[in-house]
Amino acid sequence: FVAHGESSVPRNFYRFIKSLHNCLTGKWHHRFNERHVEEALAIGEVAYAAGYLFWSGYARLERGDFDEAQKIVDRLDEIGKRYNYAHSNFYYYSLASKLFINTNALAKAEACVDAAIHQLVAYGLDMRRIEFYGLKMKTSILQNDLKAAQKIVIKGDDLISKIGKKSILPNYY
């Protein structure tokens, strides 16, 4: 636990929130420590381990460190499979798709996005689907398939109309 005044915060929650804060404020050069992931997993805090990995990986993508981002993507995939943790799977799909887009592996990006959308539909997680529609639209545009991109825009618009104001939430991803 990290003590703060009269309250304390679980150390792994603090690490997760710190990695999120660093990314959202543009501090993309914070150190990544695999030990933090192992400590969180050892005590069953899979959510904090996956979240820490996601935001650490996102920072590496933003700064163009694709080799390090790939290691984190692989680790998220492993955690999602080992613990059957859906959010780790979605973190994996999100980072992997963005990594593939950044490295111009557009067919792989599209396959990743399609797999995520399929799982999100199965779980009924409409808000996260908006993020992946955006990624699918981006891959379609980069492949010069504007008709496919237009169809995705319409699907996304319909989904946003269905969800309403809550649809703003995934925009920080």
Side-chain angles (χ1 to χ4, degrees):
F1 285 90
V2 176
H4 185 276
E6 292 185 22
S7 67
S8 59
V9 176
R11 184 172 309 280
N12 294 311
F13 175 77
Y14 174 78
R15 289 171 176 156
F16 161 64
I17 293 300
K18 184 177 179 183
S19 65
L20 172 111
H21 173 78
N22 284 338
C23 283
L24 295 180
T25 58
K27 296 176 185 165
W28 296 328
H29 294 283
H30 58 281
R31 290 183 327 150
F32 171 72
N33 190 334
E34 176 65 30
R35 188 176 45 99
H36 295 335
V37 175
E38 290 305 319
E39 287 174 5
L41 293 175
I43 59 173
E45 293 182 343
V46 180
Y48 299 148
Y52 174 75
L53 280 166
F54 176 79
W55 289 108
S56 296
Y58 187 83
R60 273 117 194 105
L61 278 177
E62 288 296 326
R63 68 184 199 207
D65 191 348
F66 300 140
D67 291 336
E68 284 299 310
Q70 182 64 60
K71 290 176 189 174
I72 291 172
V73 164
D74 293 342
R75 189 73 165 109
L76 280 167
D77 188 32
E78 176 204 329
I79 289 170
K81 289 175 181 171
R82 184 186 334 157
Y83 295 96
N84 195 27
Y85 184 59
H87 289 291
S88 185
N89 292 334
F90 297 130
Y91 286 152
Y92 161 77
Y93 287 131
S94 180
L95 277 184
S97 299
K98 292 170 185 174
L99 177 62
F100 292 141
I101 289 169
N102 281 314
T103 58
N104 207 30
L106 299 177
K108 287 182 179 182
E110 192 167 36
C112 224
V113 168
D114 289 341
I117 290 171
H118 178 76
Q119 281 192 1
L120 288 164
V121 168
Y123 285 123
L125 297 174
D126 290 341
M127 289 179 12
R128 287 294 305 262
R129 204 164 14 133
I130 294 167
E131 169 194 3
F132 287 96
Y133 280 166
L135 290 169
K136 186 158 179 76
M137 181 185 63
K138 190 172 188 174
T139 60
S140 296
I141 290 169
L142 290 170
Q143 294 176 80
N144 205 28
D145 189 350
L146 300 182
K147 287 185 180 189
Q150 184 180 24
K151 288 178 185 177
I152 294 300
V153 168
I154 292 167
K155 279 183 162 182
D157 190 46
D158 291 345
L159 188 57
I160 289 169
S161 294
K162 174 185 163 191
I163 295 171
K165 291 180 184 179
K166 293 186 296 184
S167 64
I168 296 168
L169 177 68
N171 289 338
Y172 77 86
Y173 287 108

